[in-house]
Amino acid sequence: MLHFLDKWRNSKGQREVCVTGIKVLSDPADPVVDIVFVRGLNGHRESSWRHENAIISWPEGLLPYGVSNARIMTYGYDANAVNLDEFLGKVSKNGTKQHAQNLLEALASRRSGDSEQSSLSVIVSAALFPLTQHKALIKSREWATESHLVVLFESTRGIIFLGTPHKGAALALWAKRLAQAVGLLKQTHAGILNQLKKDSEELDRIQDSFDILLRSREVSKLPPIEVKCFYEEKPMTGIGLVVDYKSATLPGNVPIGINKSHREMTKLEKGDHGYDMIEGTLRRWIEKIGRQAVNPASPGISPAPDVSSARLDVTTSSDMTVPMLSPSSEGRSSPSNSSSRSSFVKIPPGGRFIINEKLVKLPFKFIPSSLNGRESKYFQPREKELQEIRSTVLPFQRDSDLLTHRSFLISGLGGAGKTELAFRFFTQYKEHFDAIFFLIADSESRLSEQYSTIACDLGLTETSDKINQELCSETFRTWLGDPVKGAPESQEVKTLIKWLLVFDNAENTEVIQKFWPGGRHGTILLTTRNPLLASPELCVTGKLQLQGFPNADGARFLRLRAQDENPNDLRTEADAKDVVEWVQGLPIAIDQLGRIIYSDRLSISKFREIYPARSDLFGRLYKGYNNDRNLVTAWALNGLYECRRDTFALLSLIAMLDPESIDHRTLKPRPTSLNADGSPMTISQHIAYRKRLADTSLIDVIRDSQDVRINRVVQDVTIDMTVRHGSAASTFNEAVNRIADQWPFLNKNYVTGSATKVDRWAECRQTYPHILRLMEVHAELTALNVNPLASLELAELLLEAVQYRVECGVGHEAIPLLDAVESIYKPGRPDSPALDEEYGKLYRGRIGLAVSSKNTNDLLQYAQLAWDIEKERHRKIGHATSILAVAYNDLAMAWACHGDWERSIVLLTQSRSIREELPGFTRDKLFSPLYHLGLIFHHQGKYDEAEEVLNEAIKDREEVFGLEDAVSLRSAALLYARGNVRLSRADQIRNDVRKSLSDHMEAVSRARRSAGANNRTTLICQYQVAKVSAKLGKYETACDLLGEILSGSIDKPTYHRDIARTSYLYAQCLRAKGKDAESNQELLRSLEIHNRLRPQHKRLAETLTEEDINELIPYDYL
């Protein structure tokens, strides 16, 4: 070791004296941004960034030519952990706090001296950054009285980390031991070294605070901070990897490797892959900053102060460089595997928070808009029932004393007041809970939507991941089992959030079981009309069968709603009790009667004179009506139908739609809307009809949004009455037309190149529940032989919904929609399509599902059928269409999946020719034929031709959508394909494996920006990153990525082929790490899927090969 020390000392001569402070390396006239390089442990302000063959550092000699509109600075400070030359001076005893403050003051001074210059910054940092630069940003935010320092926090827009340890570094321990061995411990700043130890408490605390800082920018309406991590790929002689892949990686950030050692990775030169990646990252960020400065009101972008220019800060160690930037698509994102972990983060005192990927203030409430902010509408005290619930679920017992959640089931007739009782329990005892989730549980799709929204609101998943509802739902469900609350920076230990979860209007035991939280922590209330829901499977700890109001309470409530409350009027009291007895004390019936009595300007006694007995109410109804429970609702609706036809027509339309939230714009009169007397309907008339329905408690109008909801009892009775009165078909058809007006159609007038664009997904998400409801109503009316129905129009909506769900990566949800369409198109039905064109739409839907599931047989079958139909249509109309081009492309893909390359190429050539002849042609519309041609060349082993074709398609998209195209998943698909080509060619061209890794990582980034971190396409791209990592021998990295993929995958047959190959690769990587037990488990998982999907080629675990797995996906496409 002494020999090594002498060699190190003499190789460079005396080490350079530490130079501190800011030095400007490049200062253009009008900088857009400041880039600040901050060196790291034992580094030097300039030589840390200088290649051994260069005279000056690359930030000074190269970078100004790549980013000419940036002011570039470097910062030096005395943080030498080991100084080998005693006579050059003692080690600075400044700790991270002092270094951070010095850095802030230096930057602030530079800014004050250049007030007209740049105001935004990017930091490039190396090894010591987590301690110095993290701390600097944290302090710049905390020192609120120092306005010049707060501005630094607000203006920082990005960070690049080069070999920066976020979990400590082996170098610290090595340096300390080396210093001790040669008697130089007196010159080792032990505090800083201890902070660098792996998983050290101080580093954890600083990292936690930095995480909070990043998340707090969203709360502060500041632009996010872009983050990019780079790590070393080569070990240092005698030491190994100083900062390994895991230590250099922030959660959710896909890191990039630099093929140098820890010491050399900051010393770059022109042509180095690492330099190209850093310069490219900085250029993209600066371009984005420039766009934001021009258009600060862009959606999701809050303008930073003084956006005339941005500052980029750069921090490094003696041998490492790290850029830091404000968040972009390459910035921090929620981990794919967030479902399997709950973040426990220390936070500053003075608040209660949930912390995952963002900071959420407690108490947290998620309540339907129909309940939020309102008083109970018809709730009577029910103190006995409230106490029964309270005694079951409160006070809290220790979780260790519980076998399951504290849960209580409230069952009863529709309109019995179950929702009101649950709502009153929440409002009366809300102080006992940190978080309350009041969910409408009538269907699986609605629960999935709500669980997904909550997962995003809590920061468990990214907002862009909401489209993957199954994954988001599982993430939130798992979190409920271990809901960690952030604790202050005191001695407080880990605590769990006390939550209340309400499943309101639950109908199906299997659905509730699917969403039932794990663990045994928390309180659950269920309300239901279904007596079978109280089955043993749910293991509820308390039950209540809710009855109607007692006569006295019901009479009081009736007088309240009728506004007939003279306290000394004994006759009114007696009449009210009689009426309550007629309706068995049912709250909804009492409420409706009371509001009708008031609206008709009657008293309760006058009402009794008109209807002396209960039978007189039945006398007003149609013959054969005998549903006692819905007597008052039916009576009220019958009165509407007889006397207020226009009001009844509006209620009928509402009943056809999703009951929970109907946009008021969906219901407003159209230019063709007529009143019952044939006159045009005005807005004021429409509002009057809606007011009548709300005043009589037949609907709820949400005050803020004016959106509408309807009770399911009223909904059911209304549809029954429309059937009896013969208006069901016309009302249903009107509902279909109104929803069709709101849906962003893709296929009605299809234009090549318009598929998969994600900007339409938000509109689809709002309208999708109404399509599901119309599908349900259509089945009900069809069973009752109601016609003529707008079946073909509904089928078109359903096929659009199929496309939407497939694009979102949840193709399994399309299966019941396609089945419903097929039942509509079934031959022999009166409304079956007269032309095969409608079947062509169905076949395209089946093709989308087959593509999603990689079912090659179904794909060929339906692609051939669709092609036949389009060819015949082309013959009849005499000209080509976009759909014909798609049919050629789909059939080419199908034959490619079966290995018929020549036939596929012929079909793709024809598809291209058709596209080029269509009106409005642009080259980006050649995506599909070029993409598949590149894939075919790849499978044929024509790697150069494949790359050439794919490069052509990539260039086409860049010219239309820009270098960072993420308007759809198509750029990700092209990068994925080119990365696969380069990986296959890696044995011939050595550098191709790294180019392949770069392509696949960029594909992950593009897919994540377009569709979210857990979209199926994103996960498939991430699989290829793992595959390349495994080829490079980085099994730890590959295992991390593959584990995340499997955690994010939906375990449905539609996706089993992808799961099988992921598990197989995972098994190989685990075995390479010596983890045989885990490897065998994954191998068996892959084997089971393989043998089920290829029954004619069954294998044993010992005989299963990579070639067998590849046969599951013989044609690898996105």
Side-chain angles (χ1 to χ4, degrees):
M1 180 174 289
L2 290 175
H3 173 74
F4 174 74
L5 178 62
D6 290 337
K7 184 177 179 181
W8 183 29
R9 178 190 286 123
N10 295 330
S11 64
K12 295 282 186 180
Q14 292 184 336
R15 290 177 62 91
E16 297 171 279
V17 178
C18 179
V19 181
T20 62
I22 291 280
K23 179 180 179 180
V24 177
L25 303 178
S26 177
D27 194 7
D30 297 303
V32 175
V33 66
D34 287 348
I35 303 177
V36 183
F37 286 76
V38 185
R39 56 86 172 179
L41 190 66
N42 269 22
H44 185 270
R45 188 176 66 179
E46 295 171 63
S47 63
S48 290
W49 311 99
R50 187 171 63 235
H51 190 272
E52 61 181 3
N53 297 328
I55 300 175
I56 58 177
S57 65
W58 59 268
E60 183 177 4
L62 295 178
L63 193 59
Y65 298 97
V67 286
S68 58
N69 53 351
R71 178 167 58 178
I72 302 171
M73 297 177 281
T74 180
Y75 175 75
Y77 59 104
D78 186 5
N80 290 336
V82 180
N83 191 333
L84 297 180
D85 296 305
E86 267 187 281
F87 55 83
L88 289 180
K90 299 297 181 181
V91 174
S92 166
K93 291 303 176 182
N94 283 347
T96 56
K97 181 176 180 180
Q98 289 77 25
H99 289 310
Q101 185 166 357
N102 292 343
L103 173 58
L104 286 173
E105 293 292 351
L107 292 175
S109 298
R110 173 63 58 179
R111 289 171 62 87
S112 63
D114 301 272
S115 58
E116 299 300 318
Q117 295 294 317
S118 59
S119 63
L120 302 179
S121 66
V122 171
I123 300 170
V124 179
S125 166
L128 200 55
F129 178 86
L131 305 180
T132 301
Q133 192 58 43
H134 286 31
K135 197 87 169 185
L137 286 178
I138 292 163
K139 289 303 178 185
S140 69
R141 181 182 180 225
E142 292 176 351
W143 290 327
T145 58
E146 303 289 335
S147 60
H148 65 296
L149 300 183
V150 173
V151 171
L152 291 175
F153 165 73
E154 294 176 343
S155 65
T156 298
R157 302 295 293 279
I159 309 173
I160 294 178
F161 295 107
L162 295 179
T164 301
H166 302 281
K167 299 179 181 178
L171 180 62
L173 183 58
W174 174 86
K176 186 169 184 178
R177 288 174 178 171
L178 176 62
Q180 290 171 332
V182 297
L184 294 176
L185 183 58
K186 59 186 177 182
Q187 294 191 341
T188 301
H189 189 166
I192 293 179
L193 287 172
N194 287 337
Q195 287 176 357
L196 281 173
K197 287 181 181 177
K198 194 129 186 170
D199 299 324
S200 72
E201 185 175 344
E202 174 68 0
L203 184 54
D204 285 345
R205 186 182 66 78
I206 292 175
Q207 185 64 52
D208 292 343
S209 298
F210 181 68
D211 289 345
I212 294 167
L213 176 145
L214 291 179
R215 298 166 192 164
S216 70
R217 290 176 71 96
E218 180 181 354
V219 178
S220 304
K221 307 299 183 185
L222 292 172
I225 294 178
E226 298 280 355
V227 177
K228 197 69 175 177
C229 298
F230 292 77
Y231 64 97
E232 69 209 64
E233 294 184 336
K234 287 186 176 180
M236 286 180 65
T237 304
I239 302 173
L241 292 176
V242 176
V243 181
D244 60 17
Y245 173 89
K246 279 191 172 181
S247 293
T249 304
L250 285 168
N253 191 286
V254 179
I256 296 176
I258 292 180
N259 192 30
K260 291 179 178 288
S261 70
H262 181 80
R263 176 172 299 164
E264 301 301 325
M265 68 183 300
T266 61
K267 301 180 178 181
L268 305 171
E269 62 179 348
K270 188 67 175 176
D272 279 345
H273 175 70
Y275 174 79
D276 292 341
M277 295 299 294
I278 293 169
E279 181 189 301
T281 299
L282 291 172
R283 277 194 286 103
R284 287 195 300 271
W285 286 350
I286 293 170
E287 181 182 341
K288 183 175 181 180
I289 288 171
R291 290 197 302 267
Q292 293 174 6
V294 173
N295 184 23
S298 297
I301 299 174
S302 302
D306 304 324
V307 292
S308 59
S309 183
R311 186 184 73 251
L312 301 176
D313 299 341
V314 181
T315 308
T316 172
S317 70
S318 57
D319 299 289
M320 300 186 309
T321 311
V322 184
M324 174 170 183
L325 211 48
S326 55
S328 74
S329 61
E330 299 175 6
R332 296 172 58 81
S333 60
S334 59
S336 303
N337 197 22
S338 58
S339 62
S340 63
R341 56 157 188 81
S342 294
S343 299
F344 172 58
V345 185
K346 296 178 181 179
I347 61 175
R352 299 163 65 230
F353 302 90
I354 302 171
I355 302 179
N356 290 291
E357 283 304 306
K358 65 180 179 181
L359 191 137
V360 180
K361 191 82 165 64
L362 296 176
F364 177 89
K365 292 190 296 184
F366 181 89
I367 302 170
S369 55
S370 57
L371 294 176
N372 200 12
R374 77 165 189 175
E375 290 297 322
S376 182
K377 189 170 66 173
Y378 50 76
F379 186 85
Q380 292 295 305
R382 291 205 192 262
E383 282 302 322
K384 178 182 176 182
E385 290 86 348
L386 277 173
Q387 285 304 316
E388 186 174 348
I389 299 172
R390 185 187 188 284
S391 63
T392 303
V393 301
L394 296 174
F396 291 116
Q397 298 170 268
R398 292 180 304 170
D399 288 338
S400 57
D401 296 335
L402 297 172
L403 298 177
T404 185
H405 303 283
R406 295 165 289 267
S407 54
F408 199 93
L409 178 70
I410 306 169
S411 59
L413 298 176
K418 303 177 294 298
T419 299
E420 298 294 331
L421 180 60
F423 183 68
R424 180 53 60 93
F425 176 84
F426 140 60
T427 55
Q428 190 160 321
Y429 298 107
K430 60 186 176 185
E431 69 277 2
H432 291 272
F433 303 98
D434 299 311
I436 297 169
F437 311 102
F438 202 112
L439 308 181
I440 301 162
D442 61 335
S443 69
E444 181 174 345
S445 62
R446 200 184 312 281
L447 276 172
S448 293
E449 174 70 23
Q450 293 169 107
Y451 264 43
S452 299
T453 300
I454 295 171
C456 295
D457 289 347
L458 294 181
L460 298 168
T461 59
E462 292 183 3
T463 302
S464 57
D465 286 330
K466 188 178 176 183
I467 54 176
N468 193 339
Q469 292 184 353
E470 186 140 358
L471 176 68
C472 291
S473 296
E474 181 60 20
T475 300
F476 176 58
R477 192 191 71 82
T478 304
W479 177 86
L480 288 170
D482 184 30
V484 180
K485 176 166 63 178
E489 279 187 335
S490 62
Q491 300 302 313
E492 183 177 346
V493 297
K494 168 181 169 178
T495 56
L496 297 179
I497 289 166
K498 298 174 182 176
W499 52 258
L500 169 66
L501 178 64
V502 180
F503 289 114
D504 186 40
N505 201 34
E507 295 186 355
N508 186 291
T509 302
E510 290 182 2
V511 170
I512 298 302
Q513 283 180 310
K514 179 176 179 179
F515 292 90
W516 196 263
R520 57 189 179 185
H521 175 84
T523 301
I524 302 174
L525 291 185
L526 300 99
T527 74
T528 183
R529 294 186 293 176
N530 180 7
L532 298 179
L533 198 71
S535 60
E537 289 87 346
L538 292 181
C539 300
V540 294
T541 51
K543 300 177 184 178
L544 170 66
Q545 178 71 34
L546 193 62
Q547 304 297 329
F549 288 142
N551 274 9
D553 288 343
R556 238 179 358 259
F557 179 50
L558 177 62
R559 296 182 68 177
L560 171 69
R561 299 300 286 161
Q563 296 190 21
D564 189 0
E565 299 182 86
N566 187 337
N568 299 317
D569 190 341
L570 298 180
R571 179 189 171 189
T572 297
E573 180 69 16
D575 288 340
K577 289 182 178 179
D578 287 343
V579 172
V580 168
E581 188 173 359
W582 291 356
V583 297
Q584 301 173 21
L586 199 65
I588 189 174
I590 298 171
D591 177 51
Q592 290 170 353
L593 272 177
R595 297 311 298 162
I596 290 171
I597 289 170
Y598 172 75
S599 297
D600 288 346
R601 302 295 188 265
L602 299 174
S603 66
I604 294 173
S605 295
K606 187 65 177 176
F607 177 82
R608 277 296 310 279
E609 290 178 11
I610 299 173
Y611 302 101
R614 183 169 178 272
S615 59
D616 294 307
L617 283 178
F618 275 110
R620 287 284 301 275
L621 299 178
Y622 39 82
K623 185 177 180 180
Y625 188 86
N626 58 3
N627 190 333
D628 289 0
R629 294 176 298 174
N630 300 331
L631 168 64
V632 172
T633 301
W635 171 79
L637 297 187
N638 196 67
L640 279 181
Y641 180 77
E642 291 179 351
C643 305
R644 302 175 185 269
R645 289 287 178 91
D646 297 309
T647 304
F648 179 80
L650 176 59
L651 182 64
S652 301
L653 177 62
I654 293 169
M656 296 290 173
L657 300 173
D658 181 72
E660 285 306 323
S661 182
I662 304 170
D663 192 311
H664 69 281
R665 292 168 294 186
T666 306
L667 304 173
K668 70 179 182 180
R670 307 162 102 183
T672 57
S673 297
L674 301 176
N675 291 308
D677 62 5
S679 62
M681 185 184 297
T682 65
I683 288 289
S684 59
Q685 288 173 323
H686 166 76
I687 293 174
Y689 304 151
R690 190 182 65 185
K691 183 177 184 299
R692 172 71 185 184
L693 293 174
D695 287 346
T696 53
S697 293
L698 293 171
I699 64 170
D700 288 325
V701 177
I702 301 165
R703 180 174 298 177
D704 292 338
S705 65
Q706 292 296 293
D707 293 345
V708 171
R709 74 175 297 275
I710 182 172
N711 186 284
R712 285 162 182 76
V713 171
V714 179
Q715 192 175 41
D716 293 344
V717 175
T718 303
I719 289 182
D720 180 59
M721 292 194 70
T722 62
V723 172
R724 291 179 180 274
H725 292 301
S727 59
S730 60
T731 305
F732 174 82
N733 296 344
E734 173 73 7
V736 170
N737 290 334
R738 286 177 179 262
I739 296 304
D741 285 345
Q742 292 186 343
W743 183 267
F745 276 92
L746 177 67
N747 294 313
K748 183 174 285 188
N749 296 298
Y750 180 76
V751 176
T752 53
S754 59
T756 76
K757 288 188 176 180
V758 300
D759 55 0
R760 56 191 282 275
W761 289 0
E763 294 178 77
C764 294
R765 188 181 304 120
Q766 296 298 319
T767 313
Y768 182 62
H770 295 303
I771 295 178
L772 296 181
R773 168 65 181 168
L774 289 169
M775 181 176 69
E776 176 186 314
V777 174
H778 182 269
E780 182 181 336
L781 296 181
T782 300
L784 295 172
N785 294 317
V786 174
N787 58 78
L789 297 175
S791 300
L792 297 183
E793 291 81 357
L794 174 62
E796 192 165 28
L797 276 173
L798 290 171
L799 289 172
E800 285 281 336
V802 167
Q803 175 86 13
Y804 163 58
R805 299 319 288 160
V806 169
E807 287 178 359
C808 291
V810 285
H812 66 283
E813 293 184 9
I815 296 174
L817 307 181
L818 285 167
D819 291 343
V821 173
E822 192 144 16
S823 70
I824 291 173
Y825 290 169
K826 186 177 180 180
R829 291 178 49 86
D831 57 351
S832 63
L835 300 173
D836 280 345
E837 182 180 345
E838 303 302 331
Y839 277 98
K841 298 175 182 178
L842 171 62
Y843 297 149
R844 288 196 295 277
R846 293 289 184 191
I847 290 168
L849 181 60
V851 168
S852 177
S853 62
K854 293 184 167 64
N855 187 327
T856 58
N857 292 330
D858 282 359
L859 176 58
L860 181 57
Q861 175 188 352
Y862 293 114
Q864 185 67 59
L865 289 170
W867 184 83
D868 290 340
I869 288 174
E870 289 306 317
K871 283 288 290 181
E872 177 62 19
R873 189 160 76 101
H874 174 247
R875 186 187 66 78
K876 290 179 180 179
I877 64 177
H879 62 83
T881 64
S882 296
I883 298 299
L884 180 62
V886 171
Y888 271 99
N889 202 89
D890 288 343
L891 188 57
M893 177 170 52
W895 282 115
C897 288
H898 287 79
D900 194 334
W901 312 122
E902 298 307 320
R903 187 184 306 202
S904 295
I905 291 173
V906 170
L907 292 166
L908 289 173
T909 302
Q910 188 63 32
S911 176
R912 176 171 182 164
S913 298
I914 295 171
R915 293 165 193 263
E916 291 174 338
E917 294 170 3
L918 291 172
F921 167 75
T922 53
R923 283 196 55 84
D924 62 291
K925 295 173 182 177
L926 295 177
F927 161 79
S928 293
L930 291 179
Y931 172 64
H932 286 286
L933 186 60
L935 295 182
I936 290 170
F937 283 158
H938 176 207
H939 282 277
Q940 290 180 317
K942 300 176 180 179
Y943 301 139
D944 292 341
E945 293 93 328
E947 183 167 0
E948 182 180 353
V949 169
L950 293 170
N951 285 338
E952 180 184 349
I954 291 170
K955 181 180 178 182
D956 291 343
R957 292 197 66 80
E958 288 178 346
E959 289 179 352
V960 176
F961 302 107
L963 296 175
E964 301 266 333
D965 169 38
V967 300
S968 71
L969 292 167
R970 290 189 162 181
S971 282
L974 291 168
L975 290 164
Y976 175 89
R978 190 175 70 181
N980 287 347
V981 172
R982 289 173 167 175
L983 182 61
S984 297
R985 198 175 52 190
D987 294 335
Q988 303 173 19
I989 302 177
R990 185 175 181 182
N991 197 38
D992 264 11
V993 67
R994 302 206 174 276
K995 289 182 178 179
S996 172
L997 181 61
S998 177
D999 277 344
H1000 285 304
M1001 294 180 72
E1002 185 62 25
V1004 171
S1005 176
R1006 301 285 182 93
R1008 179 176 289 163
R1009 274 181 281 163
S1010 297
N1014 291 300
N1015 181 272
R1016 180 164 173 258
T1017 298
T1018 308
L1019 295 177
I1020 294 174
C1021 293
Q1022 189 167 320
Y1023 165 82
Q1024 289 299 136
V1025 174
K1027 186 175 180 180
V1028 179
S1029 298
K1031 185 175 182 66
L1032 291 169
K1034 301 174 184 178
Y1035 298 114
E1036 186 72 32
T1037 300
C1039 285
D1040 289 343
L1041 294 170
L1042 294 166
E1044 289 179 2
I1045 294 167
L1046 290 172
S1047 295
S1049 298
I1050 302 171
D1051 190 9
K1052 297 283 186 182
T1054 305
Y1055 318 112
H1056 279 177
R1057 285 177 167 82
D1058 290 324
I1059 291 173
R1061 73 171 180 177
T1062 303
S1063 289
Y1064 183 83
L1065 179 59
Y1066 198 15
Q1068 306 310 305
C1069 293
L1070 288 168
R1071 191 169 302 281
K1073 291 177 60 181
K1075 297 185 177 182
D1076 292 346
E1078 295 95 326
S1079 173
N1080 290 337
Q1081 183 178 355
E1082 292 300 328
L1083 184 62
L1084 290 175
R1085 183 182 189 182
S1086 181
L1087 179 69
E1088 187 277 325
I1089 296 174
H1090 173 272
N1091 288 346
R1092 174 161 42 83
L1093 296 178
R1094 301 184 71 215
Q1096 304 302 318
H1097 303 85
K1098 288 188 176 182
R1099 298 288 188 265
L1100 301 174
E1102 310 85 62
T1103 60
L1104 185 66
T1105 65
E1106 183 176 359
E1107 289 71 23
D1108 293 324
I1109 295 299
N1110 289 340
E1111 285 300 318
L1112 292 174
I1113 308 176
Y1115 182 66
D1116 193 5
Y1117 58 84
L1118 286 183

